[in-house]
Amino acid sequence: MTLVVAACLALATAQPALTPLEARTLERVRASLPQRTVPALSGPLVEAARALARAAARGDPRPLSEPALRSALGDAGVFDPAPAAVLLSASPSSLPDAMADAARFRGASHLGIGAWIEGDLAWAVLLASEQRAEIDPFPRRVVPGSRATLRGRLLRLEGPRVWVSEPSGAVVEVPVQTEGDRFSAPVSFPGPGTWRVEVGGTGPRGATMAALLVVESGANLVGQTARAARPSDEVEPPDDAAAALRIRGAIDELRARQGLPPLRGDARLDRLARRHAEAMLAAGTLAHRLDGTPDLSGRLAGEGVPFRAARENLARGDGALDSHRATVGSPAHLASLLDPEMQLLGLGIARGALPGGQPVVYLAEILLAPRAPLPAEDAPAGVR
């Protein structure tokens, strides 16, 4: 095995040197958070937040889109799959209070603050992470044909699982060995391209992503693929119906590339997915099981939907297409989309705004293997 670049993908590192404005803002945010524990300052999150704030100050129209966020996190060596983010612009004197008013995270274990002054305005990004895993140093760039062992432990989760999405778009689940509270999984990189490695587990809110690592195999620079794939000119569909049609078509194309048939629509699944997306928006969190609500199996049973197997993908982004892109970027979610047993698809979209005013969309995708065979005349989901 030959490793070209090895990096410690961790949230907690040596304390970064904050600018006076960043330090004042962080102090106000910590004092205002509605939680008893004080989140630790994360150097990698600070680095990512600074990159995002600088991009926003220089005119990036979508600084918190999934590709932009993933690129900044990857370049900083952050493996948290979905940190909460707030972006604000204000005068330097009023920024700390404005950010404190906007920051209403619960359960954050680590914070990162980045500020950038452009003219008379200060732009700041706050990233809040609820760390779910500790991952040992793992390579971010490898030589094709390499193999590395992913090691770590889950935090407040059980049952570690590891998925790998290949450059071809296929997904494999890697066998995991456990010893005490630690796990290990061998990961191979037989060819060139971008590989994504995801660690997941199960907790009180159901299946949970714990870590997402992007590894470049071959000559590509770390982060190059994520930036190249960024859809800077992509136009969000004008309404939820148009957005759902685009997402259904994208899923069918994704499955077709792997030799799988299209998924078919189901109005009951659409209703269930929409309700759950709206509930996540109201709660401000991604979770398969929210307080006072059942998990997917319970929701399907309550609607009287019989099934042999069911999957649920949840994501948020600055638009519906951006949210769906986040599911494709997650190996575990991609595995659900490419499950050959699935036949039905329900989509739910809920639109709102982040504390800083940026648009946010919560997306729920329910995939189902029905108990009875489907009628031959049912239309595929992508052409509804």
Side-chain angles (χ1 to χ4, degrees):
M1 178 185 74
T2 302
L3 302 182
V4 179
V5 176
C8 180
L9 300 175
L11 287 176
T13 61
Q15 292 295 294
L18 298 181
T19 67
L21 178 58
E22 291 170 341
R24 292 196 305 272
T25 303
L26 179 65
E27 181 181 7
R28 287 287 294 115
V29 166
R30 278 175 164 169
S32 68
L33 286 178
Q35 63 182 62
R36 293 183 178 180
T37 57
V38 178
L41 181 63
S42 162
L45 283 178
V46 169
E47 181 182 342
R50 285 172 174 168
L52 294 167
R54 181 171 59 250
R58 293 179 174 176
D60 188 334
R62 300 178 61 192
L64 295 185
S65 67
E66 192 275 338
L69 187 59
R70 183 54 46 199
S71 177
L73 293 172
D75 289 347
V78 178
F79 60 77
D80 185 307
V86 173
L87 167 66
L88 287 178
S89 62
S91 67
S93 61
S94 62
L95 180 67
D97 287 338
M99 186 63 81
D101 290 340
R104 288 294 179 263
F105 307 118
R106 290 184 182 274
S109 62
H110 293 78
L111 294 177
I113 182 71
W116 188 269
I117 297 178
E118 194 80 16
D120 296 331
L121 281 180
W123 297 77
V125 169
L126 178 70
L127 297 176
S129 169
E130 187 175 0
Q131 190 175 10
R132 293 298 192 179
E134 293 177 351
I135 305 296
D136 290 357
F138 196 76
R140 294 184 59 207
R141 199 197 304 177
V142 299
V143 169
S146 298
R147 179 172 173 166
T149 300
L150 181 69
R151 295 184 174 89
R153 70 184 184 98
L154 297 179
L155 304 176
R156 300 175 297 281
L157 296 174
E158 298 178 346
R161 299 176 68 181
V162 176
W163 298 265
V164 179
S165 63
E166 303 173 351
S168 66
V171 182
V172 296
E173 185 170 358
V174 179
V176 175
Q177 293 184 339
T178 59
E179 183 175 347
D181 65 348
R182 290 185 59 80
F183 67 85
S184 63
V187 182
S188 298
F189 305 97
T194 301
W195 300 73
R196 294 175 182 263
V197 182
E198 181 177 336
V199 179
T202 302
R205 294 186 173 181
T208 302
M209 293 174 63
L212 180 62
L213 294 71
V214 179
V215 179
E216 297 290 351
S217 176
N220 285 345
L221 296 174
V222 173
Q224 182 181 26
T225 301
R227 279 189 291 271
R230 184 172 175 180
S232 58
D233 57 348
E234 183 181 63
V235 178
E236 179 74 5
D239 53 48
D240 291 351
L245 191 64
R246 288 275 298 275
I247 293 172
R248 293 178 190 277
I251 292 173
D252 287 347
E253 291 177 8
L254 192 70
R255 289 174 60 88
R257 289 198 291 270
Q258 301 301 322
L260 297 171
L263 298 172
R264 303 185 184 190
D266 187 285
R268 297 171 301 174
L269 297 185
D270 286 342
R271 287 195 301 271
L272 284 170
R274 184 170 58 253
R275 289 174 196 161
H276 195 64
E278 292 169 348
M280 290 190 296
L281 174 63
T285 189
L286 286 171
H288 295 280
R289 185 185 297 116
L290 298 168
D291 293 341
T293 64
D295 61 8
L296 176 61
S297 296
R299 283 181 268 130
L300 288 169
E303 191 74 10
V305 180
F307 63 95
R308 289 183 290 108
R311 306 281 185 269
E312 184 175 56
N313 286 347
L314 308 176
R316 69 183 166 205
D318 68 357
L321 301 185
D322 192 57
S323 298
H324 172 66
R325 192 178 303 107
T327 70
V328 177
S330 156
H333 291 72
L334 181 58
S336 294
L337 295 174
L338 298 179
D339 188 336
E341 191 177 7
M342 298 298 111
Q343 295 177 273
L344 297 177
L345 171 65
L347 289 177
I349 297 170
R351 300 180 185 272
L354 295 172
Q358 297 79 35
V360 65
V361 170
Y362 282 79
L363 173 70
E365 300 172 344
I366 298 178
L367 301 102
L368 201 81
R371 189 170 294 169
L374 293 175
E377 64 271 15
D378 279 1
V383 298
R384 290 182 62 202

